Amino acid sequence: MKLIINSTQLENEFYRLIKQYKCFYWATAWAGVGSKHFNALMANKEKIKKIIVGIHFYQTHPDFIEAFLDNKNLQFVIQPQGTFHPKLYLFYNTDNDWEIIIGSSNFTKEAFNKNTEANTLVNSTDRNSVDFLKMAFKLINDTRQYGKIKDQKLTASLDYMEVKI
């Protein structure tokens, strides 16, 4: 287990994990573009197994939505009640070979370059890792029910964001 307390550490760990692992299972409140971590995700789209991204408060960048709108393994959440607000990034090879970053960082340029964020890196050798992995998959699977790939609300949100930005 490791505490990540600055954006340089976060970006370095994230980039390492993107290269090292074969499968991505993520849930994040917001996502952006224009950074090293976004470019790394774009170059490794085939590794996306389940990614859920929130679009509440119009914080997910329209270019991110457009880049992944046709990817059936990445869904956008319009949660009916409350706010979709997790930040969990599971990098997975097997049940005995995985790492998770969980904490305050959204998948945005600001989180990886400017903000003060705090995250924990947990891996398959840590104490209680079996339960941790099980709960991470539960979060991903439970929130996926709210996911929308294409619908009128998502299109309307995208149109609104283009006007706003």
Side-chain angles (χ1 to χ4, degrees), residues 82-93:
T83 302
F84 184 76
H85 209 246
K87 290 93 173 175
L88 182 143
Y89 308 93
L90 168 58
F91 300 86
Y92 181 90
N93 285 333

Side-chain angles (χ1 to χ4, degrees), residues 29-48:
W30 303 311
V33 298
S35 60
K36 183 178 178 179
H37 66 283
F38 172 76
N39 293 337
L41 179 60
M42 291 296 292
N44 290 277
K45 284 191 220 179
E46 74 283 354
K47 295 181 178 184
I48 297 171

Side-chain angles (χ1 to χ4, degrees), residues 106-162:
N106 287 297
F107 192 76
T108 62
K109 183 177 181 180
E110 292 77 11
F112 282 75
N113 294 296
K114 295 187 226 176
N115 294 355
T116 301
E117 305 278 357
N119 297 282
T120 302
L121 176 64
V122 178
N123 70 46
S124 54
T125 63
D126 289 331
R127 186 176 177 185
N128 297 328
S129 64
V130 172
D131 292 335
F132 206 93
L133 180 63
K134 188 185 303 184
M135 293 306 293
F137 274 124
K138 179 175 177 16
L139 173 70
I140 298 292
N141 290 324
D142 287 354
T143 57
R144 190 173 171 98
Q145 69 180 316
Y146 299 123
K148 306 288 183 194
I149 295 174
K150 285 186 181 181
D151 72 5
Q152 290 178 340
K153 287 182 184 178
L154 183 58
T155 303
S157 295
L158 183 57
D159 290 344
Y160 174 80
M161 286 187 283
E162 287 175 349

Side-chain angles (χ1 to χ4, degrees), residues 65-81:
I65 295 171
E66 190 171 323
F68 291 100
L69 197 55
D70 292 325
N71 187 319
K72 296 200 184 306
N73 293 330
L74 192 146
Q75 295 181 317
F76 298 97
V77 169
I78 302 168
Q79 187 171 318
Q81 294 182 1

